[in-house]
Amino acid sequence: YKSVVLWCLRDGKKRFSEIQALIPEATGKMLTKQLRELEADGLIERKVYPVVPPKTEYSLTEFGMSAIPLIMDMSEWGIAYLEREGIPVADCARM
């Protein structure tokens, strides 16, 4: 789910629950693991606010933003492939 997480964060910071709502197929445990790995790789940053209940926001780093054009290219290639094979492409897949 890493590329999907990066794509979700392209427009700005989001809380865990917002990311989870955008990727309902991902379990909380899996999403947490993916977010931690992306943070360790320097693609996203996590900001924790000292409030009750705790508030955590995730955003792309400059390095993470550099991956967005690659993700867009992969999406365009995938759509072209599906169309070539005669496989219907959902409108939501188009950018």
Side-chain angles (χ1 to χ4, degrees), residues 11-63:
D11 294 326
K13 58 188 171 191
K14 294 199 176 20
R15 295 180 70 174
F16 182 88
S17 60
E18 294 174 297
I19 299 169
Q20 194 168 35
L22 292 169
I23 314 171
E25 309 84 25
T27 64
K29 182 178 177 181
M30 176 56 72
L31 187 54
T32 297
K33 181 180 185 293
Q34 300 290 288
L35 288 166
R36 286 182 181 154
E37 290 175 1
L38 286 166
E39 184 182 12
D41 292 338
L43 293 162
I44 66 171
E45 59 186 14
R46 178 175 64 114
K47 183 170 184 179
V48 180
Y49 296 89
V51 295
V52 177
K55 178 181 174 183
T56 305
E57 290 181 334
Y58 297 89
S59 61
L60 291 175
T61 62
E62 188 175 324
F63 183 52

